[in-house]
Structure formats: C-alpha cells, structure tokens
Amino acid sequence: MTCERVAEEDLDTRYLTGQLSEAEATAFEEHYFGCERCWALVQQGLAAQAAVADEPPRRPLQRPTRPRWGLAAGAAVAAGLGIWLVVAREPVPPADPIRGRASIEVRTASDDSFVSAAWSPVTGADIYQVRLFAADGTLLHQRRLADTMISVPLDSVPGAAGGAFWDVEALDRMRDPVGRSEMTRTGLPADSS
C-alpha cells in the first residue's frame, strides 16, 4: 500500500466511514500505522468526526462492522468534510495556536552585567520557551525553563547592543502552547556595546 493509492482510492475517508472490507481495512491499518502522512490524515478525520458529532474521537482500530444509522451520519460528515479532504492532501501551515490563549506580560530589567525578564505563572503551563532577539530579528538566546524569570549575561549576547526583545511562550505538559507574550523590548545600559 502506498500514499498515492490512499489518495487515489480515498482509502482514509472510506476507512473512517466503515466502507472498507475487512481485508482492505487491515491492509490500510498496516500502512497508516507506519506512515506519518496517512496517520495524520486518519487522526485529523477522527478529530473532525468527533467535533461534528460532539463526542470524543474513536480509537483508530475501532470501526463499524455492520451498517447502522451512524454510518449515514458518517457519510454526511465525510461529505461535509470535502474541503478538508482536499486541503489535507497537502501540508497546511498550522492555524494560530495562540488565539484565545493567555497573554503573558513580560517585565524586563538590565544592569551592567545582565539582561533579565520575569513574568507571572500561566495556568496549565509546565515549561516556558524563552527567546531573546536582537533589534534586527537575530535570535541571540533561547532556553526552555520551568521558572518564571531568566537572566542572561550581557557578554554572552553581544548582538543586544542595538536593542533586544524578549518573547515568552508558555507550554503545557504535551508542549502545546497555552500562552504567549508580545515581543517586549528590554532596556540596556548605554555602555553595553
């Protein structure tokens, strides 16, 4: 089984709507369990079905073994997801994962030796991805930490002399974003060149 065959025969949709024979379903499962692209198609389809049906997604190995009224609903879901099926054939840039998430306010400080940032804890955050950028957008420093403050020696970020900006992203245990800051300018000592 190949990804091309999956696309040509619409096997992912037929699998999700229970339209494959037992042998076809088994062959498709053997393929998609080892294929990142097809695995993603099936997982997206399960999530879409669950969202439309307002219920938790099925486990991938569960599939209808006999016709029932849910099959008609599944066909309706598949028809309603026609656009999704066309778009899912090509990689799609992720939607903005931060929309509706916590906004992080970053407080900055600096002295002759260090540049620092601090922020309040974000509910649900397990770790923070912290980046320091130069005024021209060059990444100067990056670190993941559980604390809500960071100090970086000025001599380790020589590009900060023209100005620097902090960016903080809160990540949950699954490393999904739960909050983000605006780019926050940090004040630097006048002689920090």
Side-chain angles (χ1 to χ4, degrees):
M1 174 124 359
T2 64
C3 294
E4 290 76 25
R5 180 174 171 207
V6 170
E8 288 170 5
E9 297 179 24
D10 206 19
L11 293 176
D12 56 317
T13 303
R14 292 176 49 216
Y15 174 77
L16 290 170
T17 58
Q19 298 176 9
L20 295 179
S21 70
E22 190 68 30
E24 289 174 317
T26 300
F28 178 66
E29 286 171 351
E30 288 174 4
H31 170 75
Y32 96 82
F33 283 146
C35 173
E36 290 294 323
R37 180 177 177 215
C38 293
W39 173 264
L41 286 174
V42 171
Q43 298 309 310
Q44 289 171 348
L46 289 172
Q49 282 180 337
V52 171
D54 195 28
E55 62 185 41
R58 298 186 322 211
R59 291 193 350 224
L61 287 175
Q62 293 177 323
R63 62 180 173 276
T65 55
R66 58 182 175 14
R68 53 185 169 163
W69 74 270
L71 187 56
V77 167
L81 296 175
I83 293 173
W84 170 82
L85 291 173
V86 170
V87 173
R89 299 287 180 230
E90 296 299 321
V92 177
D96 181 9
I98 304 302
R99 189 163 291 153
R101 305 295 183 179
S103 178
I104 301 173
E105 184 178 333
V106 177
R107 297 170 306 282
T108 66
S110 64
D111 61 22
D112 292 335
S113 305
F114 290 90
V115 61
S116 304
W119 56 94
S120 297
V122 174
T123 303
D126 184 58
I127 199 163
Y128 299 91
Q129 172 75 39
V130 183
R131 293 177 290 227
L132 181 64
F133 292 95
D136 66 0
T138 304
L139 180 63
L140 300 173
H141 186 79
Q142 176 173 281
R143 185 179 301 162
R144 283 191 173 180
L145 58 138
D147 202 357
T148 57
M149 69 166 288
I150 185 172
S151 289
V152 178
L154 277 175
D155 59 1
S156 69
V157 288
F165 294 84
W166 289 103
D167 176 54
V168 178
E169 185 175 31
L171 306 172
D172 66 12
R173 294 177 74 175
M174 300 299 292
R175 301 305 183 247
D176 290 326
V178 293
R180 185 165 209 157
S181 72
E182 298 285 329
M183 294 292 274
T184 306
R185 185 173 181 81
T186 187
L188 296 170
D191 60 346
S192 66
S193 51

